[in-house]
């Protein structure tokens, strides 16, 4: 099967990996370096022998979609991952209930001097099979021009593929007859794709918290290479709030309580227009900047050193290709690439994910809707907090007379920052350099993951994401993960497996 029609940017290109600092290491094929180094040759031999099992592990996991937004296969998803963890050597594995969907906790204690924490997720985004070139739960293999053999499937890149590849590293180390160089503490949640509303319950469960407080850092396996072979190291991530705003005739006390004939608009108020008016107050007239009262008062602007990182990083970026992949002809306000990347890293955002009122099917249906709903997400930057932002949004709407507009917060968490001098980040840099991969130090991820649950008290550990290989179209049709690479600068699944093994040994030994 040929998937050369698959189009779209890598995750790094989509969410700001272009804003990165190149460390200048020479680029070589990871496989060649491993062959020369030889220190983990026995593990590599085991990883190669286990390659088909690794591919099957990803494909089988993709076949069971756990979609929190649809309450689909959530208990089954937790139980399935719990068995994957046991198979990889974790003990004391337990499914942890929350007020929402369950998580999974486990430890792998080998008596090592250092302990590394792991953050996994088992939930994935929704999908429409009609939009895919192959069934989204099949994990079909095909060729992608310029990359090699890829696997298509929901969760292949975000994040079942990278997580299963990390588990493959544990299998390979055990198959080689080696003892792990570090102890591992694992938490896997099932609500990341809905804003992790109950992650705090997971990490503060007494036995879970006690285990994570013994860690020297927490990381999430992710495929972070770009097509030129560099790998992003993020020094933080934006936070997020996901919520609905709802305008209805019932709550408003004006307009209809149910859909009525549109001819009556001449004499009846419209909840749909009321929602539109409320939404417009949240941003500047062009929709490009938040206008919520007090929204920027605690925002930490980028330092000159951070802006320098961005300027250095875009030297490796093909702006025309980036725009083409995203399908956009211009950045907002016709910004230059440098100014656009600064804004991407620095600015909070207000985004409409979806807007629904009345009839949206074929043809027309002349009604005046009694209810209108907007789904929004808000990206937060350092020194903003979820609690502060929710409070300010509610106050902003109330002040403008929109007390009747309901605000239903479904999830979210604070932004996070990690000290570049932490052992975790230094180990990531050292591992990439050892493998001949250029570390691209990024100010922060413009997207979000709940790393703040670990950097903040009571856990208080540095966090990061790490991983070789690449994938793309996360949250979109034809999501893919690279399996066999034809690009000598980018790792396939065996080299990505070895990257995790090398990282564990580097983390154990770095001073």
């Amino acid at each position: 099967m040929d998937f050369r029609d698959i189009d779209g940017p890598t995750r790094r290109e989509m969410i700001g990996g272009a804003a990165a600092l190149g460390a200048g290491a020479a680029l070589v094929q990871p496989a060649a370096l491993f062959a020369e180094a030889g220190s983990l040759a026995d593990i590599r031999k085991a990883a190669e022998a286990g390659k088909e099992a690794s591919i099957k592990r990803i494909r089988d996991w993709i076949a069971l979609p756990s979609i929190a937004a649809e309450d689909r296969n959530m208990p089954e998803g937790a139980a399935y991952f719990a068995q994957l963890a046991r198979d990889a050597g974790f003990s004391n594995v337990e499914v942890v209930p929350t007020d929402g969907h369950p998580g999974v906790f486990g430890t792998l204690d080998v008596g090592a001097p250092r302990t590394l924490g792991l953050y996994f997720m088992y939930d994935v985004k929704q999908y429409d099979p009609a939009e895919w070139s192959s069934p989204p739960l099949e994990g079909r293999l095909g060729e992608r021009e310029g990359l090699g053999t890829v696997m298509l499937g929901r969760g292949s890149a975000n994040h079942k593929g990278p997580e299963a590849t990390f588990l493959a590293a544990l299998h390979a180390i055990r198959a080689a007859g080696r003892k792990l160089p570090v102890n591992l503490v694992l938490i896997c949640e099932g609500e990341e794709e809905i804003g992790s509303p109950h992650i705090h319950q997971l990490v503060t469960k007494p036995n879970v918290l006690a285990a994570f407080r013994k860690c020297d850092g927490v990381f999430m396996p992710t495929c972070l290479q770009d097509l030129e072979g560099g790998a992003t190291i993020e020094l933080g991530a934006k936070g997020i709030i996901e919520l609905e705003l709802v305008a209805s005739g019932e709550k408003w006390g004006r307009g209809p309580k149910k859909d009525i004939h549109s001819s009556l608009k001449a004499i009846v108020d419209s909840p749909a227009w009321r929602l539109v008016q409320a939404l417009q107050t949240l941003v500047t007239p062009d929709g490009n900047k938040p206008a919520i009262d007090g929204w920027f008062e605690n925002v930490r602007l980028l330092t000159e050193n951070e802006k320098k990182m961005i300027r250095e990083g875009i030297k490796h970026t093909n702006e025309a290709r980036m725009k083409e992949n995203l399908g956009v002809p211009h950045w907002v306000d016709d910004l230059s690439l440098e100014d656009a990347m600064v804004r991407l890293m620095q600015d909070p955002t207000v985004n409409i994910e979806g807007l629904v009122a009345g009839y949206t099917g074929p043809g027309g249906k002349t009604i005046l809707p009694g209810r209108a709903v907007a789904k929004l997400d808000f990206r937060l930057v350092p020194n903003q907090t979820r609690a502060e932002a929710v409070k300010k949004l509610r106050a902003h709407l109330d002040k403008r007379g929109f007390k009747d507009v309901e605000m239903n917060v479904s999830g979210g968490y604070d932004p996070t920052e990690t000290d570049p001098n932490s052992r975790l980040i230094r180990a990531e840099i050292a591992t990439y350099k050892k493998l001949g991969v250029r570390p691209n130090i990024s100010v922060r991820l413009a997207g979000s993951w709940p790393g703040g649950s670990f950097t903040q008290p009571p856990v208080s550990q540095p966090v990061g994401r790490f991983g070789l290989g690449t994938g793309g179209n996360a949250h979109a049709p034809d999501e893919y993960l690279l399996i066999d690479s034809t690009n000598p600068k980018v790792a396939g699944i065996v080299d990505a497996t070895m990257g995790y093994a090398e990282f564990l040994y580097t983390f154990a030994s770095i001073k």
Side-chain angles (χ1 to χ4, degrees), residues 161-367:
E163 292 168 351
T165 304
F166 178 85
L167 296 180
L170 302 186
H171 282 278
I173 292 170
R174 183 171 58 188
R178 290 212 189 195
K179 177 181 166 182
L180 273 177
V182 294
N183 310 311
L184 298 175
V185 175
L186 167 70
I187 196 72
C188 180
E189 72 160 321
E191 299 181 324
E192 197 280 338
E193 297 293 11
I194 59 171
S196 303
H198 301 101
I199 184 68
H200 187 71
Q201 292 181 10
L202 292 176
V203 299
T204 58
K205 186 173 183 285
N207 63 322
V208 177
L209 177 59
F212 271 99
R213 293 186 71 173
K214 296 177 182 177
C215 294
D216 297 288
V218 179
F219 97 102
M220 181 181 190
T222 312
C223 44
L224 289 167
Q225 279 191 284
D226 58 38
L227 299 186
E228 296 303 316
T232 301
I233 295 176
E234 303 142 350
L235 300 180
K238 289 186 177 181
I240 192 171
I241 303 169
E242 290 193 87
L243 57 81
E244 288 182 341
L245 293 182
V246 183
S248 65
E250 183 177 3
K251 291 287 185 180
W252 187 15
R254 305 184 67 86
K257 294 183 179 179
K258 60 182 182 179
D259 295 353
I260 61 175
H261 198 280
S262 66
S263 64
L264 296 169
K265 180 64 198 77
I267 57 172
V268 179
D269 292 300
S270 167
W273 280 115
R274 181 156 182 81
L275 179 61
V276 169
Q277 291 164 355
L279 290 172
Q280 189 60 61
T281 72
L282 304 183
V283 291
T284 52
D286 59 9
N288 289 338
K289 189 173 182 179
I292 301 165
D293 295 339
W295 205 249
F296 284 86
E297 65 182 3
N298 292 327
V299 166
R300 182 181 75 73
L301 300 179
L302 294 177
T303 66
E304 285 305 313
N305 185 55
E306 288 170 329
K307 291 179 181 179
K308 181 180 178 181
M309 287 186 187
I310 293 171
R311 287 193 294 270
E312 290 290 328
I314 61 176
K315 293 178 181 178
H316 303 286
T317 299
N318 184 324
E319 182 179 11
R321 182 174 129 187
M322 189 176 180
K323 286 179 175 177
E324 181 182 359
N325 283 339
L326 291 170
V328 298
H330 307 281
W331 306 126
V332 294
D333 301 331
D334 292 318
L335 295 174
S336 67
L337 178 62
E338 179 180 331
D339 290 341
M341 292 300 101
V342 168
R343 182 180 285 193
L344 181 67
M345 295 293 132
Q346 179 174 263
D347 283 17
T349 62
V350 175
N351 177 60
I352 298 175
E353 298 176 352
L355 189 59
V356 181
Y359 179 72
T360 61
K365 185 179 181 184
T366 50
I367 60 169

Side-chain angles (χ1 to χ4, degrees), residues 11-61:
R11 185 172 177 84
R12 177 177 179 268
E13 290 169 328
M14 291 179 67
I15 56 181
L21 172 64
L27 291 171
V28 300
Q29 185 174 359
L33 179 86
F34 281 120
E36 292 167 7
S39 62
L40 302 183
D42 54 341
I43 298 176
R44 182 174 187 85
K45 183 177 179 181
E48 290 171 343
K51 177 184 172 183
E52 293 306 315
S54 298
I55 294 172
K56 185 178 186 299
R57 188 177 296 114
I58 300 171
R59 181 181 285 126
D60 289 350
W61 198 5

Side-chain angles (χ1 to χ4, degrees), residues 381-398:
V381 298
N383 292 359
Q384 287 185 297
T385 67
R386 168 186 164 167
E388 165 214 349
V390 168
K391 183 178 180 180
K392 285 180 175 177
L393 175 60
R394 183 71 268 173
H396 173 94
L397 292 170
D398 292 351

Side-chain angles (χ1 to χ4, degrees), residues 27-35 435-437 485-491 495:
L27 291 171
V28 300
Q29 185 174 359
L33 179 86
F34 281 120
L435 302 180
V437 175
S485 179
T486 57
N487 182 337
K489 298 177 181 179
V490 184
D495 291 324

